[in-house]
Amino acid sequence: MGDVKFIWNRLWIWVRNILIFFFVSSILAVIAFKWVPVYRTPLMYIRCIEQYIDGKDPKIKHQWVDMNQISRHMPAAVISSEDSHFLEHNGFDEKAILQARLVALKGGKERGASSISQQTAKNVFLWQGHSWVRKGLEAYFTFLIEKIWGKERIMEVYLNSIEMGDGIYGVQACANENFHKTAGELTQKDAALIAATLPNPLVYDSANPSKYMEKRRKAIIAGMNYMRANKIDPEWGIDPATVKSNATPQVEKKSSKNNKKSKKKKR
């Protein structure tokens, strides 16, 4: 009897220490990522393994950019597409979750109801899957980032970490690869098209949009316009027109220097 009690005590101490370590380390990680850029996520490495298994060369195309280097159309586009109540809820869109559950109970196709906050928590700290363990951890990390990061930081990390194509992560890499622009130069139509791929970025390609994607883009733009008309658009980021106008003088300066050099050569 004494041996059994001793084993249970040792087991409890072991479990307790693991739990303490998990809670302390997870909170410290969330605090750190409030300021530290997220350069790599578990999903990036998981996709690399999947690519290797499929006989492909593993690739990660990603470049972190601050919110002030991202087009202000991009946050509005993903809110319109993925989480229309992002600015209002505490991390969980209860209405969307309830509606998705009712559809599933009635035998309809189960659809995702994860908020942008939940997706961000999953992308940065966890793995893909539908197990109750992962869902529970997702809820825990969602609660933490909502309390510690706030909405703008959640959006900044989301736009930098979300999968936007095969081996493409974040808005800067997507803008470079598919639009030959920077994240700050994306127009409203560009942003809406990128947002249209997010339900399944490995199937939908913003570089080669299908008729279905064009239809979704129009719906997303309508949502963005509605948000602006009702003054619920956060307008984080920068105006693409400003980026282009700032870039023009630099091009002119370079060209004028080249002209001077050519004149000197002629002499």
Side-chain angles (χ1 to χ4, degrees), residues 248-265:
T248 304
Q250 293 175 4
V251 175
E252 290 175 351
K253 286 177 183 178
K254 287 181 181 178
S255 61
S256 63
K257 286 180 181 179
N258 291 335
N259 290 337
K260 288 178 181 179
K261 287 180 181 179
S262 61
K263 287 179 182 178
K264 287 180 180 179
K265 285 181 181 179

Side-chain angles (χ1 to χ4, degrees), residues 121-237:
K122 177 185 67 178
N123 289 339
V124 176
F125 299 103
L126 301 169
W127 63 94
Q128 303 296 304
H130 299 283
S131 68
W132 286 107
V133 172
R134 193 196 64 75
K135 281 290 184 183
L137 291 172
E138 179 186 293
Y140 167 72
F141 279 107
T142 299
F143 172 80
L144 287 183
I145 64 175
E146 277 281 338
K147 295 297 181 184
I148 296 173
W149 290 2
K151 295 294 185 182
E152 186 172 354
R153 177 60 176 178
I154 290 172
M155 179 59 70
E156 183 177 44
V157 175
Y158 176 81
L159 292 177
N160 273 285
S161 63
I162 194 73
E163 187 176 31
M164 293 184 171
D166 184 19
I168 301 172
Y169 305 91
V171 64
Q172 179 75 349
C174 184
N176 287 339
E177 289 293 316
N178 294 348
F179 298 88
H180 308 293
K181 299 178 179 180
T182 65
E185 294 171 333
L186 293 171
T187 64
Q188 184 185 52
K189 287 185 177 180
D190 297 334
L193 187 59
I194 292 173
T197 70
L198 296 184
N200 196 337
L202 297 182
V203 173
Y204 304 124
D205 184 2
S206 57
N208 300 290
S210 62
K211 289 183 179 179
Y212 169 75
M213 287 180 62
E214 291 290 355
K215 186 177 179 181
R216 268 187 58 81
R217 169 157 67 175
K218 290 179 182 178
I220 291 167
I221 289 174
M224 294 166 72
N225 291 336
Y226 173 83
M227 288 167 59
R228 290 209 171 100
N230 289 273
K231 298 180 180 180
I232 55 176
D233 177 11
E235 292 193 353
W236 293 319

Side-chain angles (χ1 to χ4, degrees), residues 2-21:
D3 290 341
V4 173
K5 188 176 181 180
F6 174 77
I7 291 171
W8 275 109
N9 286 337
R10 296 297 299 177
L11 182 62
W12 162 245
I13 292 171
W14 183 73
V15 171
R16 183 197 64 188
N17 290 341
I18 288 177
L19 290 174
I20 292 172
F21 174 77

Side-chain angles (χ1 to χ4, degrees), residues 96-126:
I97 293 170
L98 181 60
Q99 288 175 356
R101 197 69 196 133
L102 289 173
V103 170
L105 290 172
K106 291 178 180 178
K109 184 179 179 181
E110 188 174 354
R111 59 183 181 179
S114 295
S115 68
I116 285 175
S117 301
Q118 287 175 275
Q119 292 180 52
T120 305
K122 177 185 67 178
N123 289 339
V124 176
F125 299 103
L126 301 169

